[in-house]
Structure formats: C-alpha cells, structure tokens
Amino acid sequence: MSTDPKSREIDVETLVDDVMRWRPATIRVFLRRRLRCVGCPIGPFHTVADAAREHCVDAEGLLEELLAIPLSPPA
C-alpha cells in the first residue's frame, strides 16, 4: 500500500476494503447504512459503487458520507 496520501483518495471505484483500511471510521457509515461490507469476503473485490448497487443505496450519497471521514495516517 502506498504511503502517498494522494494515492489513497477514494471515489466510487475504490474498493470497499481500501476505504475501510484508509479511513477506519467509515466502518460506522457502512454499519449505520446497513451495508454488510464489514467482514464481507467480497469486500476486496467490490467497489463503493458495487456495494451501493447491491444494497440499493445512492452511490454518490454514500461517497459523500465516506469522504467526510478523514484519512488515517499511513502505517
């Protein structure tokens, strides 16, 4: 994983697992919206758009909430 914060920007094509790893507080967003992405074996393959579509959630609204969570410092 890159330590360059620019390479850790998220959009609807970002993998769900990357979002939760880069911004751990987003886990609360997924849980509050009842998206079962946390611990899902498909998380490494699903994008934010995929997860939104699978759970009938507006992808742009979800992305807006996810972006409101700050990036965690690189490990």
Side-chain angles (χ1 to χ4, degrees):
M1 177 170 64
S2 175
T3 58
D4 175 17
K6 283 283 191 199
S7 68
R8 296 172 50 202
E9 292 179 2
I10 63 171
D11 60 29
V12 293
E13 295 304 315
T14 305
L15 295 174
V16 169
D17 269 11
D18 288 342
V19 172
M20 290 187 281
R21 188 172 42 263
W22 297 339
R23 301 176 190 225
T26 60
I27 291 170
R28 285 182 261 153
V29 173
F30 287 103
L31 294 174
R32 184 176 61 251
R33 284 179 160 258
R34 302 189 195 289
L35 276 71
R36 297 186 179 118
C37 301
V38 180
C40 177
I42 298 175
F45 310 103
H46 259 183
T47 64
V48 171
D50 293 334
R53 184 176 48 255
E54 289 293 320
H55 295 284
C56 300
V57 171
D58 173 56
E60 290 301 320
L62 174 60
L63 180 62
E64 188 175 309
E65 270 191 76
L66 297 172
L67 288 170
I69 307 295
L71 276 168
S72 293

